[in-house]
Amino acid sequence: MRKVLVTGGTGYIGSHTAIQLANAGFEVVILDNLSNSSKGVVARIEELSKRQVDFIEGDIRDHELLRNIFSQHTFDSVIHFAGLKAVGESEEQPLRYFDNNVSGSIVLFDEMIKAGVYKLIFSSSATVYGDPGYVCYSENTPLAPINVYGRTKLMVEDILRDLKKSQPKWQIALLRYFNPVGAHESGRIGENPFGVPNNLMPFISQVAIGRRSKLMVYGNDYATPDGTGLRDYIHVEDLAAGHVAALKTLGDVNPFITLNLGTGKPYSVLEMISAFERASGIKIPYEIVGRRAGDLSEYYANADLAKEILGWQAKLGIDRMCADTWCWQKSNPEGYGID
Ligand code: NAD
Ligand code: WQD
């Protein structure tokens, strides 16, 4: 059975992907330092996949630990989710972000080479595109991130492009996610931000459950139909399926792939609030406030290449995104319970 090391596998996207990997017959080993996730996730991954999953608590920057892990397991591939992802925090703590996301990735890639593991999927982000002056981003959109977090993602992409040039046996997928939302349909796993959520969907759902009094809508004076920002929200289950498809596609025919994972259909903040109200039957109080620094008015994916290369496309729409988020939130009002 093919074994995959999933760094950051107890996190939001990693946990959903781990289940789909196990269901697709991969043996899953998770490495996570629990800086933004809970150990309890592992039991839920096992419960939902009905398969045993190995969990190692530790840091991707720990050379010795990685050497031990690679000596104890024979991996076919690595999916590298581990990273810090809060844009505002990255501006305040750039060294922490470069150390964790860039130095951490270098340690991981170095130990992969030493162990002879050359197949990798890397969690990149639409943030690498910055502000190109148009709203539909293809993979050829210029790479010019406008914040520290985005630069850490671009640096790791650059490292991987250089690694591939220096050692052609690498097989690498750079997957650029747009705005992941939603949860496993069981409501057993979902997004569980520690502290105040930075992102729209977890904030809305915490308002719905009563943990927060109202949502701040960051600006209604954008040049969009209702004045609020438009984004390409993608269901995390579709995203997870994209990883399984990428893992199966990587090989001699497709040794290096760079793909947008989005739906291609953007929604506004007000549309997301309405959809969530429909799904939950709960009114979401909100207040229009000023724009958030660094926000763009609108962007979404051209996701044609992922369809062509992977035969993958997002299937789940806005109603499922909201219904599944609400199912997770209402059955786990305090998340996994330790934040
Ligand atoms: P998450 O925070 O839920 O998951 C990341 C996991 O990595 C966490 O469990 C955290 O504890 C772990 N981690 C962080 N640093 C680590 C380290 N040094 N060693 C070991 N484990 C470490 O985030 P997520 O939303 O699941 O995102 C997964 C990946 O996808 C990240 O790399 C993120 O940058 C990227 N991404 C996320 C989004 C998004 O909006 N959620 C969008 C684009 C890209
Ligand atoms: C969506 C829309 C906000 C919160 C970020 C990262 C990006 C990627 C995904 C990792 C915007 C509005 C939000 C709130 C609001 N992550 N909003 N009130 O900023 O598109 O993308 O997450 O790679 O890199 O930048 O996502 O969910 O924060 O915002 O009005 O409390 O909701 O202004 O229009 P964003 P988001």
PDB file of all heavy atoms in Angstrom, residues 70-82:
ATOM      1  N   PHE A  70      11.552   9.308   8.508  1.00  0.00           N
ATOM      2  CA  PHE A  70      11.840   8.744   7.184  1.00  0.00           C
ATOM      3  C   PHE A  70      12.578   7.405   7.291  1.00  0.00           C
ATOM      4  O   PHE A  70      12.493   6.587   6.372  1.00  0.00           O
ATOM      5  CB  PHE A  70      12.641   9.736   6.325  1.00  0.00           C
ATOM      6  CG  PHE A  70      11.781  10.821   5.715  1.00  0.00           C
ATOM      7  CD1 PHE A  70      11.902  12.137   6.124  1.00  0.00           C
ATOM      8  CD2 PHE A  70      10.840  10.521   4.741  1.00  0.00           C
ATOM      9  CE1 PHE A  70      11.107  13.140   5.569  1.00  0.00           C
ATOM     10  CE2 PHE A  70      10.040  11.509   4.178  1.00  0.00           C
ATOM     11  CZ  PHE A  70      10.172  12.821   4.592  1.00  0.00           C
ATOM     12  N   SER A  71      13.275   7.183   8.411  1.00  0.00           N
ATOM     13  CA  SER A  71      13.946   5.873   8.521  1.00  0.00           C
ATOM     14  C   SER A  71      12.967   4.797   8.982  1.00  0.00           C
ATOM     15  O   SER A  71      13.147   3.616   8.693  1.00  0.00           O
ATOM     16  CB  SER A  71      15.157   5.960   9.446  1.00  0.00           C
ATOM     17  OG  SER A  71      14.715   6.120  10.771  1.00  0.00           O
ATOM     18  N   GLN A  72      11.913   5.211   9.669  1.00  0.00           N
ATOM     19  CA  GLN A  72      10.951   4.211  10.176  1.00  0.00           C
ATOM     20  C   GLN A  72       9.853   3.869   9.179  1.00  0.00           C
ATOM     21  O   GLN A  72       9.159   2.866   9.322  1.00  0.00           O
ATOM     22  CB  GLN A  72      10.316   4.722  11.467  1.00  0.00           C
ATOM     23  CG  GLN A  72      11.227   4.535  12.680  1.00  0.00           C
ATOM     24  CD  GLN A  72      10.835   5.431  13.841  1.00  0.00           C
ATOM     25  OE1 GLN A  72       9.711   5.922  13.902  1.00  0.00           O
ATOM     26  NE2 GLN A  72      11.761   5.658  14.750  1.00  0.00           N
ATOM     27  N   HIS A  73       9.620   4.742   8.197  1.00  0.00           N
ATOM     28  CA  HIS A  73       8.548   4.511   7.226  1.00  0.00           C
ATOM     29  C   HIS A  73       9.110   4.599   5.811  1.00  0.00           C
ATOM     30  O   HIS A  73      10.029   5.369   5.565  1.00  0.00           O
ATOM     31  CB  HIS A  73       7.464   5.596   7.344  1.00  0.00           C
ATOM     32  CG  HIS A  73       6.800   5.654   8.684  1.00  0.00           C
ATOM     33  ND1 HIS A  73       5.648   4.958   8.965  1.00  0.00           N
ATOM     34  CD2 HIS A  73       7.121   6.334   9.806  1.00  0.00           C
ATOM     35  CE1 HIS A  73       5.288   5.224  10.214  1.00  0.00           C
ATOM     36  NE2 HIS A  73       6.168   6.048  10.752  1.00  0.00           N
ATOM     37  N   THR A  74       8.514   3.859   4.914  1.00  0.00           N
ATOM     38  CA  THR A  74       8.872   4.003   3.506  1.00  0.00           C
ATOM     39  C   THR A  74       7.741   4.752   2.813  1.00  0.00           C
ATOM     40  O   THR A  74       6.664   4.199   2.561  1.00  0.00           O
ATOM     41  CB  THR A  74       9.063   2.609   2.855  1.00  0.00           C
ATOM     42  OG1 THR A  74      10.027   1.908   3.637  1.00  0.00           O
ATOM     43  CG2 THR A  74       9.538   2.727   1.420  1.00  0.00           C
ATOM     44  N   PHE A  75       7.990   6.017   2.551  1.00  0.00           N
ATOM     45  CA  PHE A  75       6.946   6.851   1.945  1.00  0.00           C
ATOM     46  C   PHE A  75       7.074   6.870   0.431  1.00  0.00           C
ATOM     47  O   PHE A  75       8.184   6.945  -0.114  1.00  0.00           O
ATOM     48  CB  PHE A  75       7.037   8.300   2.460  1.00  0.00           C
ATOM     49  CG  PHE A  75       6.679   8.446   3.912  1.00  0.00           C
ATOM     50  CD1 PHE A  75       7.657   8.769   4.844  1.00  0.00           C
ATOM     51  CD2 PHE A  75       5.379   8.256   4.349  1.00  0.00           C
ATOM     52  CE1 PHE A  75       7.344   8.900   6.185  1.00  0.00           C
ATOM     53  CE2 PHE A  75       5.055   8.385   5.695  1.00  0.00           C
ATOM     54  CZ  PHE A  75       6.044   8.701   6.618  1.00  0.00           C
ATOM     55  N   ASP A  76       5.903   6.884  -0.187  1.00  0.00           N
ATOM     56  CA  ASP A  76       5.830   7.087  -1.628  1.00  0.00           C
ATOM     57  C   ASP A  76       5.816   8.588  -1.932  1.00  0.00           C
ATOM     58  O   ASP A  76       6.302   9.045  -2.955  1.00  0.00           O
ATOM     59  CB  ASP A  76       4.537   6.410  -2.106  1.00  0.00           C
ATOM     60  CG  ASP A  76       4.271   6.596  -3.571  1.00  0.00           C
ATOM     61  OD1 ASP A  76       5.095   6.094  -4.353  1.00  0.00           O
ATOM     62  OD2 ASP A  76       3.267   7.237  -3.924  1.00  0.00           O
ATOM     63  N   SER A  77       5.214   9.357  -0.998  1.00  0.00           N
ATOM     64  CA  SER A  77       5.034  10.785  -1.272  1.00  0.00           C
ATOM     65  C   SER A  77       4.802  11.568   0.022  1.00  0.00           C
ATOM     66  O   SER A  77       4.533  10.988   1.073  1.00  0.00           O
ATOM     67  CB  SER A  77       3.825  10.984  -2.184  1.00  0.00           C
ATOM     68  OG  SER A  77       2.690  10.418  -1.574  1.00  0.00           O
ATOM     69  N   VAL A  78       4.879  12.895  -0.115  1.00  0.00           N
ATOM     70  CA  VAL A  78       4.604  13.804   1.004  1.00  0.00           C
ATOM     71  C   VAL A  78       3.591  14.841   0.531  1.00  0.00           C
ATOM     72  O   VAL A  78       3.708  15.365  -0.581  1.00  0.00           O
ATOM     73  CB  VAL A  78       5.901  14.529   1.455  1.00  0.00           C
ATOM     74  CG1 VAL A  78       5.597  15.575   2.526  1.00  0.00           C
ATOM     75  CG2 VAL A  78       6.931  13.524   1.973  1.00  0.00           C
ATOM     76  N   ILE A  79       2.583  15.105   1.366  1.00  0.00           N
ATOM     77  CA  ILE A  79       1.709  16.262   1.117  1.00  0.00           C
ATOM     78  C   ILE A  79       2.010  17.264   2.219  1.00  0.00           C
ATOM     79  O   ILE A  79       1.861  16.961   3.412  1.00  0.00           O
ATOM     80  CB  ILE A  79       0.209  15.891   1.109  1.00  0.00           C
ATOM     81  CG1 ILE A  79      -0.053  14.759   0.107  1.00  0.00           C
ATOM     82  CG2 ILE A  79      -0.622  17.117   0.731  1.00  0.00           C
ATOM     83  CD1 ILE A  79      -1.527  14.448  -0.121  1.00  0.00           C
ATOM     84  N   HIS A  80       2.438  18.445   1.802  1.00  0.00           N
ATOM     85  CA  HIS A  80       2.995  19.409   2.760  1.00  0.00           C
ATOM     86  C   HIS A  80       2.012  20.563   3.016  1.00  0.00           C
ATOM     87  O   HIS A  80       2.039  21.581   2.329  1.00  0.00           O
ATOM     88  CB  HIS A  80       4.330  19.916   2.206  1.00  0.00           C
ATOM     89  CG  HIS A  80       5.002  20.926   3.057  1.00  0.00           C
ATOM     90  ND1 HIS A  80       4.851  20.985   4.432  1.00  0.00           N
ATOM     91  CD2 HIS A  80       5.854  21.944   2.740  1.00  0.00           C
ATOM     92  CE1 HIS A  80       5.566  21.995   4.906  1.00  0.00           C
ATOM     93  NE2 HIS A  80       6.168  22.593   3.902  1.00  0.00           N
ATOM     94  N   PHE A  81       1.164  20.349   4.052  1.00  0.00           N
ATOM     95  CA  PHE A  81       0.207  21.385   4.457  1.00  0.00           C
ATOM     96  C   PHE A  81       0.766  22.273   5.567  1.00  0.00           C
ATOM     97  O   PHE A  81       0.242  23.372   5.788  1.00  0.00           O
ATOM     98  CB  PHE A  81      -1.065  20.746   5.036  1.00  0.00           C
ATOM     99  CG  PHE A  81      -1.917  19.992   4.057  1.00  0.00           C
ATOM    100  CD1 PHE A  81      -1.928  18.603   4.038  1.00  0.00           C
ATOM    101  CD2 PHE A  81      -2.746  20.663   3.168  1.00  0.00           C
ATOM    102  CE1 PHE A  81      -2.732  17.905   3.160  1.00  0.00           C
ATOM    103  CE2 PHE A  81      -3.551  19.978   2.280  1.00  0.00           C
ATOM    104  CZ  PHE A  81      -3.541  18.588   2.279  1.00  0.00           C
ATOM    105  N   ALA A  82       1.738  21.770   6.329  1.00  0.00           N
ATOM    106  CA  ALA A  82       2.144  22.476   7.551  1.00  0.00           C
ATOM    107  C   ALA A  82       2.610  23.891   7.236  1.00  0.00           C
ATOM    108  O   ALA A  82       3.464  24.101   6.378  1.00  0.00           O
ATOM    109  CB  ALA A  82       3.263  21.704   8.250  1.00  0.00           C
TER     110      ALA A  82
END
